[in-house]
Amino acid sequence: MSKTWRPATQLVHGGTLRSQYGETSEAIYLTQGFVYETSEAAEARFKGETDGFIYARYGSPTNDMFEKRMCMLEGAEDARATASGMAAVAAAVLCQVKAGDHIVAARALFGSCRWVVETLAPKYGIECTLVDGRDLKNWEKAIRPNTKVFFLESPTNPTLEVVDISGVARLANQVGAKVVVDNVFATPLFQKPLELGAHIVVYSATKHIDGQGRCLGGVVLADKAWIDENLHDYFRHTGPAMSPFNAWTLLKGIETLPLRVRQQTENAAKIADFLAEQSKVAKVIYPGRKDHPQADIIARQMTGGSTLVCFELKGGKEAAFALQNALDIVKISNNLGDSKSLITHPATTTHKNLTEEARAELGISAGTVRLSAGIEDTDDLIEDFAKALAKVSA
């Protein structure tokens, strides 16, 4: 496989394995285990003296193709495919810490991500400090002698805040900590955390990579040495492996990733501009707009906007519900990154378990709405919002 291929080509051909039958589409190796010609061959395989697969919990040909294709796109040396995005997050963070260690995390995290570092990790004696990730001084102040991991997502869910990944990486390198970046909202097409200095990247492949509402999946990407030292045994013994069928589905989804994300981003940008002009909308946050509070950082570390738009309605929860209920094309769902446009009210869904004070800290009000733009016709989507807004009380 050529390393000079551009992303659109990599995502169609990268990492492909073919059986003796020469199939066009990738094969699904739906098997739990593998057989060996001799006992000596089995022994050599288990010793690592010969290449090959041992057990589907450790890896399979279909999963291997997906991992290699993601590595090509991300610019990573190695990867492990997981059963879900949260399996990827939990594995990436927990595999490298022990009791007595300390995690610094941005407070603006998806609810389940925040639960892993704020609730689960302390149960095992791992300390955690949450910071406002927008200011590098907050990261620096939170560092302790036992700090081992910095964890963040950028742009954040749902308010699309941006964290200076290079700046956080510099601080981490000074104390020997590792930076884990959840890159879902940027997609691997618009942001390359490893190139910016991060050490580990995680994705919920459920989102844009499948992007068609079919299956769950996740992936952890890093250099081979880190995966061998930290993730390898955790992965083998705790069993978060992706199903080969899901890996095959994701392989088919990833082929069209650039096409879908391009249209989704174009739709998101135009809808954001439309919403910014509406009297019933208090504010719009979109990484592609010049009025984004961190436009300077976005210009440095992102090559595109986002498929997500965050906006706030003046009428609070009542207005948000009225808008969502009046939409026709856009569907109410807590998922994102889908080919269908989806909308959600974070305060009552994805971030409902946070206290009202915690939501306020993150900029999530009763009127906050998150839109994941799909690939539908742009004008149809804007007309859908115009009609729905007309039914919202002023």
Side-chain angles (χ1 to χ4, degrees):
M1 295 296 175
S2 173
K3 293 183 179 180
T4 62
W5 285 346
R6 293 168 179 82
T9 306
Q10 291 175 348
L11 296 182
V12 175
H13 298 286
T16 300
L17 300 171
R18 286 191 171 90
S19 73
Q20 69 272 30
Y21 301 110
E23 60 277 352
T24 302
S25 179
E26 297 82 3
I28 306 175
Y29 292 89
L30 202 58
T31 181
Q32 301 125 318
F34 303 85
V35 299
Y36 315 93
E37 292 187 2
T38 65
S39 299
E40 289 78 9
E43 181 183 32
R45 188 83 56 85
F46 271 77
K47 283 184 175 180
E49 295 173 351
T50 59
D51 293 331
F53 299 100
I54 295 174
Y55 192 55
R57 177 155 52 85
Y58 307 163
S60 75
T62 313
N63 292 39
D64 188 59
M65 283 189 276
F66 173 67
E67 291 165 353
K68 283 185 167 59
R69 198 166 292 181
M70 284 300 302
C71 283
M72 291 182 72
L73 177 61
E74 194 67 38
E77 290 182 356
D78 205 357
R80 291 292 184 273
T82 61
S84 69
M86 282 313 306
V89 168
V93 173
L94 299 178
C95 77
Q96 57 180 323
V97 289
K98 63 183 185 305
D101 287 344
H102 177 237
I103 297 169
V104 182
R107 67 188 184 190
L109 294 172
F110 172 59
S112 293
C113 293
R114 186 158 164 166
W115 184 86
V116 167
V117 296
E118 188 180 28
T119 303
L120 179 62
K123 290 183 177 181
Y124 297 96
I126 302 159
E127 301 173 302
C128 176
T129 301
L130 295 175
V131 300
D132 181 343
R134 294 171 294 181
D135 190 340
L136 288 177
K137 292 180 181 177
N138 296 330
W139 294 92
E140 188 172 17
K141 290 177 183 176
I143 294 173
R144 302 177 187 174
N146 57 336
T147 299
K148 301 298 181 184
V149 174
F150 287 4
F151 178 48
L152 61 97
E153 58 186 48
S154 182
T156 63
N157 182 4
T159 55
L160 300 171
E161 294 176 1
V162 174
V163 177
D164 183 348
I165 297 173
S166 294
V168 173
R170 285 194 298 272
L171 292 172
N173 289 335
Q174 291 172 10
V175 297
K178 298 296 184 184
V179 177
V180 180
V181 176
D182 181 338
N183 202 42
V184 167
F185 272 40
T187 82
L189 298 173
F190 291 155
Q191 186 168 263
K192 304 287 189 183
L194 297 179
E195 293 180 4
L196 294 167
H199 305 95
I200 302 103
V201 182
V202 295
Y203 288 99
S204 170
T206 310
K207 277 56 177 186
H208 303 91
I209 293 167
D210 172 37
Q212 292 162 81
R214 299 172 298 190
C215 69
L216 299 176
V219 62
V220 182
L221 302 108
D223 64 72
K224 190 175 186 306
W226 182 87
I227 286 182
D228 287 347
E229 182 178 346
N230 298 277
L231 184 58
H232 181 73
D233 285 342
Y234 177 101
F235 191 87
R236 285 172 65 106
H237 300 303
T238 63
M242 177 184 288
S243 158
F245 181 82
N246 285 19
W248 179 83
T249 306
L250 292 166
L251 279 165
K252 305 320 296 177
I254 204 172
E255 290 181 354
T256 60
L257 179 67
L259 301 175
R260 289 183 285 105
V261 168
R262 186 183 306 131
Q263 182 63 38
Q264 289 169 299
T265 304
E266 180 179 326
N267 283 345
K270 291 183 178 179
I271 294 169
D273 290 342
F274 167 78
L275 291 171
E277 297 173 354
Q278 306 308 304
S279 61
K280 297 174 184 177
V281 176
K283 66 178 178 181
V284 173
I285 306 172
Y286 181 69
R289 286 177 58 86
K290 293 181 180 179
D291 59 0
H292 190 285
Q294 297 152 296
D296 57 333
I297 299 176
I298 292 168
R300 292 201 307 269
Q301 70 182 31
M302 295 179 67
T303 58
S306 177
T307 66
L308 283 297
V309 180
C310 180
F311 61 100
E312 182 180 350
L313 291 161
K314 293 179 179 178
K317 176 182 174 180
E318 183 179 351
F321 275 29
L323 172 75
Q324 293 188 163
N325 292 342
L327 289 165
D328 182 23
I329 299 170
V330 183
K331 305 304 180 187
I332 300 171
S333 176
N334 54 291
N335 196 23
L336 61 93
D338 199 279
S339 57
K340 299 176 178 68
S341 291
L342 306 174
I343 197 164
T344 191
H345 183 249
T348 55
T349 58
T350 58
H351 291 70
K352 74 175 182 65
N353 290 330
L354 297 181
T355 64
E356 188 173 344
E357 292 75 19
R359 287 196 295 270
E361 284 183 348
L362 301 179
I364 302 171
S365 72
T368 298
V369 177
R370 186 193 74 194
L371 168 70
S372 173
I375 63 172
E376 303 95 342
D377 182 271
T378 312
D379 291 336
D380 283 341
L381 290 172
I382 290 175
E383 289 174 9
D384 198 24
F385 271 100
K387 291 175 182 177
L389 280 168
K391 298 179 180 181
V392 176
S393 300

